């Protein structure tokens, strides 16, 4: 059996374990990287990866909100500050992603009008 063929399967099963331990700050950093990749290379796949990274960050924020609601004292104050900072980062990332989407759309429109698709020039038989 080829071990190379087992690598994707192993990653599939290990990824949730590896990603599950990420902090909200790590997820924010990962989302920032994915948005940057989308800006540099605005493919459908990169867009989906950026959206997925933002969704994971949202999930981390929701988990932290639930945790903060159960805490008290200094721990609650500390985690509330972390939560507020994550929310600020998420808001900035959303703005960056929205700008990247708008820039991609504008570039696509610009390219379309500068290089329109070739239209077949059909001559009318009445007007040669």
């Amino acid at each position: 059996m080829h071990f190379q063929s087992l690598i994707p399967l192993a990653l599939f099963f290990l990824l949730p374990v590896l990603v599950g331990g990420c902090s909200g700050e790590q997820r924010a950093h990962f989302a920032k990287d994915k948005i940057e990749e989308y800006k540099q290379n605005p493919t459908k796949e990169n867009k989906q990866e950026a959206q997925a990274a933002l969704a994971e960050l949202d999930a981390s924020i929701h988990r932290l909100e639930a945790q903060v609601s159960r805490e008290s004292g200094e721990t609650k104050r500390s985690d509330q500050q972390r939560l507020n900072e994550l929310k600020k980062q998420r808001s900035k990332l959303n703005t960056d992603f929205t700008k990247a989407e708008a820039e991609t759309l504008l570039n696509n429109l610009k390219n379309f009008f500068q290089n329109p698709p070739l239209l077949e020039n059909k001559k009318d038989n009445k007007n040669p």
Side-chain angles (χ1 to χ4, degrees):
M1 180 170 222
H2 295 20
F3 287 106
Q4 288 178 333
S5 63
L6 294 177
I7 292 173
L9 185 61
L11 287 175
F12 176 78
F13 287 108
L14 288 175
L15 190 61
V17 173
L18 296 173
V19 174
C22 290
S23 70
E25 291 80 6
Q26 289 168 322
R27 290 187 192 275
H29 184 71
F30 183 72
K32 181 180 178 182
D33 289 346
K34 288 298 177 182
I35 292 168
E36 194 57 41
E37 285 178 29
Y38 175 61
K39 284 181 186 178
Q40 299 300 317
N41 186 18
T43 64
K44 181 179 177 182
E45 293 79 19
N46 285 346
K47 180 178 180 178
Q48 290 171 341
E49 288 179 12
Q51 289 170 324
L54 289 170
E56 286 295 323
L57 176 57
D58 289 339
S60 289
I61 289 171
H62 292 299
R63 283 191 295 273
L64 186 54
E65 285 174 330
Q67 179 181 328
V68 167
S69 72
R70 295 185 303 268
E71 295 175 336
S72 63
E74 185 56 38
T75 304
K76 183 172 187 142
R77 282 188 288 281
S78 174
D79 284 346
Q80 186 64 52
Q81 287 177 332
R82 267 187 67 217
L83 178 61
N84 292 342
E85 185 58 35
L86 275 178
K87 286 181 175 183
K88 286 179 191 175
Q89 289 177 1
R90 175 59 173 93
S91 179
K92 183 182 181 325
L93 290 170
N94 188 60
T95 300
D96 291 347
F97 183 66
T98 302
K99 283 181 183 178
E101 287 181 303
E103 287 173 9
T104 298
L105 177 62
L106 289 174
N107 286 336
N108 288 343
L109 286 172
K110 184 177 172 182
N111 288 336
F112 176 82
F113 287 109
Q114 287 179 346
N115 304 306
L118 297 175
L119 300 176
E120 292 183 18
N121 290 329
K122 293 184 179 181
K123 291 187 177 181
D124 189 358
N125 288 338
K126 297 178 186 174
N127 297 322

